[in-house]
Amino acid sequence: MSRPSQPEASDERKPRLANWKRISIVAAAAALLFAGTTMATALATSPTASEGDDAPLESPADASETAAAATTDEAPDAAALAGPESPSPEAVGECERVPGAAPEVTVTQVDANAIGYGQEGDTERLPMAIAARPGGSWLAWVGTDDQIHLGKLDCDDKLEGDPIAFEGIDLQDVIADADGVVVLVTREGDCGGGKLCGGESSPCNTMHMVRFDNDGNQVWEREVTNLGDGLGGYDDGARFIWWYQHHGRLATDGEHFAAYFGVAITVANGDCVDIHQGDRMQVVDKDGNLVDHPDAFEVGCSHSWNTRIVWNPGNEEFGMVCATDNECRIAQPDPYETVAFGVCDGTLFGGDLIFTGDGPHYWTAWSQSGEIRLEQFEPDSNSIETGIESAHPHLVNYGQGLMLLAWEDGDGITARILNSGMGTAVGDDFSIDVPDHSFQAFKTYDDGSVAYPAAGGDGTIQIARVMPFSG
């Protein structure tokens, strides 16, 4: 077949997505422009005890002594009555964020010329992405000038210095280390002189990692598709970015950067070529050289959508999952290993993938028929029906032994803290007052907080941060 079944159904799915959520999201994004720069909201609070509530129970003798003291000129020792004080939470990380007893959300507006959300289809441009860095964040976005923009955020999630702009027609992901940042972007390519066996011509684009140092200087760039040197998109053996699902994610082991993304696959068929769809994973070292890595592959899942990747330090491997119409499932690629079976009815979507030290295990969120599910796998397996009615879930590590599950809920996002061992809920659900995007990601920080970039009004970006949690 020359066209993918589930990815090609994006033409069928896009009206559904637009009908059930997109129009309201765009309106909500415009309505959520904040007058102030930063808003902090405590989303859940514990009842405040009176001074005596924390005092230890008194024995009859203690009560007599207290009463006697009250009849004399000497006041009782208030510190003794109050009992021992609980230690105050200490600030964590370079940004000195203090863990709270309840999840607290801050929303900070960043002035930018970002394109906003649009229809959010799986073939549409990804507007923005964020990554943790020592002492702040890197924020990338697609500008209204059709360039990719990259800026530093400080500990208060405000722009630090002037952003830079560079070539790119689509943004995929951003990841950082102490020395700089890597951005995964799509650029224009060349279809070459080959002939399609059927269908209409379409752009033949390329995928690139681009490395910048902490001063914003470009250090290197590396194509992770394979066009060039006489190979066009319509030539046998080409691996490129066509019109359909091509989003990707980045991961790092500290020495290498890995990109996992949807890709077009060109296969000769007589005197013409057919274009199939799958996914591809490539690894680049810190100098920008492609590496013959044991986890890399030309094609993994096929057909493939919602590619997700993380570094697993325990197994020293890049772990991956895709959503695929190969047996209609959430699967690990190359070779296929099933994580969860679904149904190819246009509602099977993969969410995020994380690795947690509790177990240790992988966790992935996914959805079927508008219901969010969680799967724990390797070495054990655990399947959880969350009871949440939504699609395109977000999942991220949230401090020690916890993870945060988030999903679109009306005009905003609702989140739930989960124990990363068994997936049980910790506390009540809470709200994050920014609009959701189906394919953007929360990112974790070494102080235990997580951050999410969201569209604001007039091209602005809102950084929603869930502060560290001591519970």
Side-chain angles (χ1 to χ4, degrees):
M1 55 189 158
S2 62
R3 298 284 182 91
S5 55
Q6 179 93 7
E8 192 168 34
S10 62
D11 287 338
E12 300 171 5
R13 289 203 309 272
K14 275 198 256 186
R16 298 182 193 173
L17 288 170
N19 288 339
W20 99 355
K21 52 187 277 192
R22 287 312 114 222
I23 295 174
S24 63
I25 279 293
V26 174
L32 284 168
L33 178 61
F34 289 82
T37 300
T38 305
M39 172 182 73
T41 305
L43 296 168
T45 58
S46 301
T48 303
S50 64
E51 185 177 357
D53 287 341
D54 291 330
L57 293 174
E58 296 178 312
S59 67
D62 293 335
S64 298
E65 292 173 3
T66 302
T71 62
T72 68
D73 293 334
E74 295 183 9
D77 187 340
L81 291 176
E85 293 184 2
S86 300
S88 299
E90 295 183 359
V92 180
E94 291 188 31
C95 289
E96 298 186 343
R97 297 186 177 107
V98 179
E104 178 185 337
V105 177
T106 65
V107 178
T108 304
Q109 181 174 290
V110 177
D111 291 330
N113 59 337
I115 59 171
Y117 281 174
Q119 291 187 326
E120 295 185 36
D122 59 10
T123 63
E124 303 293 334
R125 293 186 292 181
L126 192 76
M128 56 204 69
I130 196 169
R133 68 174 179 87
S137 307
W138 286 98
L139 177 66
W141 66 93
V142 180
T144 55
D145 57 358
D146 293 324
Q147 288 188 296
I148 307 300
H149 295 253
L150 179 67
K152 275 184 177 181
L153 302 183
D154 63 18
C155 288
D156 295 321
D157 293 323
K158 298 177 181 178
L159 271 177
E160 184 179 278
D162 295 326
I164 61 173
F166 59 100
E167 178 191 357
I169 58 176
D170 197 358
L171 168 69
Q172 304 304 326
D173 199 7
V174 56
I175 195 167
D177 59 16
D179 299 319
V181 60
V182 173
V183 189
L184 185 64
V185 299
T186 306
R187 291 177 171 171
E188 292 183 355
D190 184 7
C191 289
K195 175 185 176 184
L196 287 176
C197 294
E200 299 178 357
S201 181
S202 183
C204 298
N205 295 322
T206 54
M207 191 76 79
H208 298 257
M209 289 189 199
V210 188
R211 172 73 161 174
F212 297 89
D213 65 22
N214 285 318
D215 293 324
N217 302 308
Q218 182 173 316
V219 180
W220 49 258
E221 62 180 61
R222 174 60 58 187
E223 183 185 346
V224 288
T225 43
N226 71 351
L227 300 193
D229 295 329
L231 185 70
Y234 293 168
D235 295 327
D236 183 38
R239 305 288 183 265
F240 69 100
I241 305 302
W242 211 20
W243 61 269
Y244 41 54
Q245 218 283 0
H246 58 270
H247 292 320
R249 292 284 177 89
L250 292 169
T252 182
D253 63 0
E255 297 296 327
H256 305 88
F257 300 97
Y260 181 39
F261 54 96
V263 72
I265 306 163
T266 306
V267 179
N269 183 3
D271 63 351
C272 55
V273 295
D274 290 324
I275 311 295
H276 301 272
Q277 193 273 350
D279 58 37
R280 178 178 176 89
M281 200 281 261
Q282 298 287 278
V283 178
V284 172
D285 66 20
K286 279 200 167 184
D287 295 322
N289 303 306
L290 282 171
V291 175
D292 184 15
H293 195 279
D295 298 330
F297 47 79
E298 273 206 46
V299 177
C301 302
S302 180
H303 305 106
S304 173
W305 58 100
N306 304 146
T307 52
R308 303 292 184 258
I309 184 170
V310 295
W311 172 246
N312 177 341
N315 291 349
E316 295 186 347
E317 67 180 11
F318 288 104
M320 290 162 273
V321 292
C322 69
T324 178
D325 60 2
N326 180 295
E327 299 186 27
C328 300
R329 53 187 166 155
I330 306 298
Q332 297 175 271
D334 193 43
Y336 277 123
E337 293 184 9
T338 300
V339 172
F341 281 108
V343 179
C344 288
D345 61 358
T347 70
L348 172 61
F349 299 112
D352 292 311
L353 173 70
I354 65 172
F355 172 80
T356 172
D358 289 342
H361 292 278
Y362 291 104
W363 280 98
T364 189
W366 62 291
S367 64
Q368 180 80 66
S369 303
E371 296 181 0
I372 293 176
R373 308 175 188 197
L374 287 169
E375 301 292 331
Q376 184 185 50
F377 61 100
E378 287 193 4
D380 301 324
S381 61
N382 184 14
S383 182
I384 297 175
E385 294 185 6
T386 65
I388 300 167
E389 294 185 0
S390 189
H392 304 290
H394 311 286
L395 187 67
V396 63
N397 281 307
Y398 181 45
Q400 185 66 36
L402 300 172
M403 53 189 181
L404 185 142
L405 175 68
W407 61 94
E408 182 183 54
D409 189 1
D411 293 340
I413 296 173
T414 294
R416 177 179 299 172
I417 301 172
L418 304 170
N419 178 284
S420 58
M422 294 300 296
T424 52
V426 178
D428 297 329
D429 296 351
F430 60 95
S431 297
I432 301 173
D433 194 17
V434 297
D436 180 68
H437 188 284
S438 297
F439 301 106
Q440 291 180 178
F442 282 79
K443 297 292 182 69
T444 190
Y445 289 68
D446 62 4
D447 58 20
S449 67
V450 300
Y452 181 82
D458 298 327
T460 61
I461 298 172
Q462 300 174 88
I463 308 301
R465 181 174 298 277
V466 185
M467 300 295 280
F469 177 50
S470 63

